[in-house]
Amino acid sequence: MTNGRLDTKNWIPNPSSTGVLKIDGPEVANFEDQVKLFQAGEKDEVEFLRFRLRQGVYGQRQPDRQMIRVKIPFGGLTADQMDVLGVAADKYAPLKKGHITTRENVQYHHVPLGETTDLLRMLGDAGLSTREACGNTVRNVVAAPSAGVSKDEVFDVTPYAAAYARYFLRHPTTQNMPRKSKTAFSGSEKDEAMVLMHDVGMVARIQNGTRGFKIVLGGGLSTSPMMAQTLREFVPVEDFIKHCEAALRVFNRQDEERKSIAKARIKFTIARLGMDKFRQMVDEELKLDWAKKEIDLESLMFVDDEEADATAAPAGQIAEPNDDPAFDDWKRTNVVAQRQDGFSMVYVRVERGDVYANQWSQLAEVARKFAIGRARLDQQQNLVYRWVRTESLYDVYKALGLIGFSASGRETIRDVVTCPGTDSCKLGITSSMGLNKALGEFLDEMGEVDPLVENMHIKASGCPNSCGQHHIASIGFHGAVMKGPGGQVPAYELFLGGRSTESGGTKVGERVKARIPAKRAPEALKSVLDTYIANRNDGEEFSSFIERFGISVFEEEFAKLKAEVGPLDRDNIQTYMDWGKTVVYKLERLSLIHISEPTRRTPISYAVFCLK
């Protein structure tokens, strides 16, 4: 860096950098060739679409602009990799930022197709892969950032999450499944990684002194949210990948799920067949020849002895200030003690998941100085330092403050989670990022709130597909459109009473059957909070309150907000604009063209997205 700016011209990759996933140089070269053929009009559009998705390159609503998704298995990053993420943002992302997603990926937006290969090479040199970050594949494998240091965990799931990610990368069975498969690992029954909302989930258990996993299948949100069901109560670690492969092989053979992209996830297979029947099919699959081959789990595991790099306690006493309320509040909400004495996890609240180019390298320097040169991402779009000496917390707080990341309130009502929405996504209906900013400003104006309100979560998605995980929020918003007297109005539907990381386990909220204008969202939020505060029982958490109180009152209140939409004139024009926009709203979601292509089993339909 020079004067706070990244020196991308003279940047040289670190050839010693290694990553969890194998980087295939010829594969990237082949991608470059395919891009050139497509741009020359010599490559079929549908064939190229399916090909580039497997490389983690996703088309945006803007013509010739791509979203590049970087897989970060279990959210683990080194400081060197964070430097590269910053250089990549500066050189290839027009908005100069990388976006942390709700599945521990990093995304770059608005990248011209012709520049994608150079970006992939830069990432690959740092041990970062985009392979199968998109498409009908095994997507990024997530785990809680506390894996390995949590006081509650049965054992560290990190090496096993990495083994799963490595095993299924480029696996022939998982290159063109009926639909994508998302996987999560939790270290305890607390389900801190939200395995119940994933296609495949593992929960660490020990039985008779043997490590293993409870395996669950069939979770997912989107337009038909379902919680996962148990395939196996316990499978020894040596056999868990084989059981998961059997399940994915069964899923991969389901022609029924290939008929409609909207009903193609494994949750629909299990709902159609029933878990008992599906389990029986898995048992039969495990009797076939492929299952007789041993899987060398040890060679697949990623073992990083972080504790060996942990810093020793400093000599003498380091005093913390006793007159800094902001630091005290930050420490209360953003710092969690590790099970290793003398060390803490520090959660960095990242507003809207956006980290700008120069900030990546600054965050990397904090990691090098205080957190053994490593960090992790979490599903709340935040960054987490581990192995921070408790004596260094104030120094970390000050260092983060210098780069704009010392805000308190991680995983509180103020830590609003959102997907990119119409800023870039083809399927976006509303500007969920704009909504995030508006709700954040409203919450800041509220000031201090009581603990029960503080513990609530807000999540928003720009469409019903739930990339922002709105179904499992205390208050969840998803983008919609409604008709006003003057035309289309950007709008939201709400889900109330969901849970993600709170006590009680993952739960889908209750849908309020009324749409509100997007610009009235802060009013709707205030109405929900006021009603909760006025009517809750002592100590009653919001999810329990909704179960008891119901949602009919909110349907009535929100219907009034809809009825108040006036004509498109000077007084009401803001209602006809989305958050952060300066033009009258017009729905520009994508139409689907289904094209059939024969396979060895049956014709299947691919979705080709194009702007209306």
Side-chain angles (χ1 to χ4, degrees):
M1 282 184 53
T2 56
N3 298 322
R5 294 181 59 82
L6 289 165
D7 181 13
T8 58
K9 181 178 180 181
N10 299 314
W11 177 81
I12 301 174
N14 179 3
S16 64
S17 295
T18 58
V20 175
L21 301 177
K22 178 184 177 182
I23 308 300
D24 189 331
E27 183 177 78
V28 178
N30 180 50
F31 176 74
E32 182 175 37
D33 292 340
Q34 298 302 310
V35 168
K36 291 177 180 177
L37 288 173
F38 175 73
Q39 291 182 320
E42 299 175 16
K43 189 76 175 177
D44 176 75
E45 184 175 6
V46 175
E47 182 183 351
F48 180 70
L49 177 147
R50 185 171 58 169
F51 169 78
R52 66 167 168 75
L53 285 174
R54 283 200 299 270
Q55 313 310 315
V57 179
Y58 192 97
Q60 294 188 183
R61 59 172 54 228
Q62 295 84 4
D64 193 41
R65 292 297 181 267
Q66 312 296 313
M67 178 270 284
I68 311 301
R69 181 177 292 147
V70 189
K71 294 172 80 171
I72 316 291
F74 59 82
L77 287 169
T78 67
D80 288 348
Q81 289 173 334
M82 294 163 69
D83 282 334
V84 173
L85 290 172
V87 174
D90 188 68
K91 192 168 184 179
Y92 295 105
L95 298 181
K96 307 296 183 184
K97 66 181 181 181
H99 176 73
I100 301 172
T101 77
T102 55
R103 299 211 68 258
E104 300 172 359
N105 301 292
V106 172
Q107 293 181 172
Y108 297 107
H109 295 95
H110 308 288
V111 180
L113 180 60
E115 298 181 11
T116 54
T117 304
D118 290 339
L119 173 53
L120 265 56
R121 285 200 176 99
M122 176 182 283
L123 295 168
D125 287 341
L128 294 168
S129 176
T130 64
R131 172 74 193 202
E132 294 163 43
C134 305
N136 296 336
T137 61
V138 171
R139 299 290 187 86
N140 192 39
V141 178
V142 302
S146 59
V149 300
S150 170
K151 292 182 177 181
D152 300 313
E153 71 183 6
V154 178
F155 57 83
D156 182 6
V157 300
T158 303
Y160 304 100
Y164 186 100
R166 286 171 162 176
Y167 182 81
F168 286 111
L169 186 69
R170 303 182 181 91
H171 194 289
T173 299
T174 60
Q175 296 309 291
N176 185 34
M177 295 184 292
R179 202 70 173 90
K180 58 193 172 187
S181 180
K182 298 180 179 180
T183 311
F185 283 71
S186 281
S188 73
E189 298 292 340
K190 289 182 67 175
D191 191 18
E192 68 277 10
M194 301 182 286
V195 301
L196 290 179
M197 54 155 275
H198 283 79
D199 300 272
V200 181
M202 261 65 68
V203 180
R205 286 183 170 179
I206 292 180
Q207 186 171 300
N208 298 324
T210 300
R211 285 186 176 188
F213 292 106
K214 173 184 177 181
I215 302 178
V216 299
L217 300 174
L221 300 179
S222 193
T223 54
S224 300
M226 301 180 194
M227 293 294 100
Q229 301 179 48
T230 301
L231 174 71
R232 297 278 189 262
E233 288 290 348
F234 182 84
V235 174
V237 291
E238 294 80 8
D239 298 325
F240 88 95
I241 288 181
K242 192 172 293 186
H243 281 254
C244 292
E245 180 176 354
L248 292 177
R249 282 174 175 263
V250 171
F251 173 54
N252 192 44
R253 289 200 301 268
Q254 301 308 304
D255 292 335
E256 183 66 28
E257 272 62 70
R258 293 184 184 273
K259 294 178 180 178
S260 170
I261 193 173
K263 294 185 176 181
R265 299 282 285 274
I266 196 171
K267 65 183 179 182
F268 294 107
T269 304
I270 292 173
R272 177 171 58 85
L273 299 175
M275 179 53 83
D276 289 341
K277 174 66 174 176
F278 191 88
R279 188 181 298 111
Q280 179 184 345
M281 295 169 73
V282 169
D283 290 339
E284 292 299 317
E285 188 70 26
L286 287 167
K287 296 176 184 177
L288 301 180
D289 287 344
W290 73 265
K292 297 174 183 176
K293 183 180 179 181
E294 291 299 317
I295 295 174
D296 186 358
L297 180 64
E298 187 173 343
S299 69
L300 290 167
M301 292 169 67
F302 177 83
V303 179
D304 183 14
D305 188 0
E306 295 182 350
E307 191 164 6
D309 293 339
T311 56
Q317 287 288 97
I318 298 179
E320 291 184 352
N322 54 15
D323 59 349
D324 191 339
F327 169 66
D328 293 338
D329 192 51
W330 174 84
K331 190 165 67 170
R332 177 181 66 85
T333 61
N334 291 41
V335 176
V336 177
Q338 295 183 188
R339 62 178 173 83
Q340 295 87 358
D341 290 340
F343 295 95
S344 295
M345 291 179 284
V346 172
Y347 286 75
V348 181
R349 201 185 97 199
V350 180
E351 199 81 0
R352 289 178 289 283
D354 286 343
V355 181
Y356 286 87
N358 63 317
Q359 293 175 325
W360 280 110
S361 58
Q362 292 171 319
L363 289 169
E365 285 305 307
V366 175
R368 290 187 180 97
K369 188 172 182 179
F370 299 106
I372 64 170
R374 300 167 179 83
R376 295 206 183 187
L377 308 179
D378 73 5
Q379 292 184 80
Q380 309 302 315
Q381 299 179 300
N382 293 322
L383 183 140
V384 185
Y385 294 122
R386 297 135 58 90
W387 300 100
V388 176
R389 295 281 339 173
T390 304
E391 300 89 345
S392 300
L393 289 174
Y394 189 59
D395 289 334
V396 173
Y397 171 72
K398 290 190 295 183
L400 290 172
L402 292 175
I403 53 178
F405 282 114
S406 61
S408 61
R410 70 98 189 175
E411 291 198 28
T412 66
I413 193 169
R414 181 57 185 85
D415 192 8
V416 183
V417 170
T418 43
C419 69
T422 52
D423 285 6
S424 59
C425 181
K426 286 183 173 185
L427 300 180
I429 298 174
T430 55
S431 174
S432 45
M433 296 289 270
L435 175 72
N436 184 314
K437 186 174 186 295
L439 294 181
E441 292 172 351
F442 168 78
L443 291 167
D444 287 340
E445 291 174 2
M446 282 184 61
E448 188 175 343
V449 295
D450 67 66
L452 288 172
V453 172
E454 182 182 64
N455 288 337
M456 295 170 63
H457 289 170
I458 296 176
K459 303 176 190 290
S461 304
C463 76
N465 286 321
S466 205
C467 292
Q469 301 174 351
H470 63 269
H471 289 98
I472 55 173
S474 306
I475 303 175
F477 295 80
H478 86 63
V481 62
M482 52 187 282
K483 188 174 182 180
Q488 293 179 330
V489 175
Y492 284 93
E493 292 190 17
L494 273 71
F495 282 75
L496 302 178
R499 287 194 303 260
S500 53
T501 58
E502 303 92 326
S503 61
T506 310
K507 174 192 172 186
V508 174
E510 296 288 330
R511 175 174 169 253
V512 180
K513 296 177 182 178
R515 294 184 177 184
I516 60 167
K519 287 296 181 69
R520 308 295 289 273
E523 293 177 52
L525 174 58
K526 183 178 187 303
S527 173
V528 171
L529 295 179
D530 288 348
T531 302
Y532 170 51
I533 293 170
N535 295 279
R536 68 190 179 193
N537 295 327
D538 289 343
E540 188 175 31
E541 294 184 348
F542 186 72
S543 179
S544 300
F545 168 75
I546 291 297
E547 288 180 1
R548 176 181 63 83
F549 188 79
I551 59 172
S552 58
V553 168
F554 303 111
E555 290 178 344
E556 294 173 5
E557 288 296 317
F558 296 169
K560 294 177 184 177
L561 294 178
K562 178 180 179 180
E564 292 171 1
V565 175
L568 178 55
D569 56 23
R570 181 178 298 178
D571 294 333
N572 297 302
I573 192 171
Q574 288 297 320
T575 304
Y576 289 85
M577 295 180 181
D578 208 346
W579 288 107
K581 309 301 179 182
T582 57
V583 296
V584 173
Y585 176 83
K586 179 183 179 182
L587 175 63
E588 291 184 334
R589 213 181 185 213
L590 308 170
S591 60
L592 297 179
I593 304 171
H594 293 285
I595 300 178
S596 294
E597 178 178 276
T599 68
R600 61 184 175 84
R601 290 185 298 273
T602 186
I604 57 179
S605 294
Y606 298 104
V608 178
F609 301 110
C610 57
L611 285 172
K612 288 185 176 180

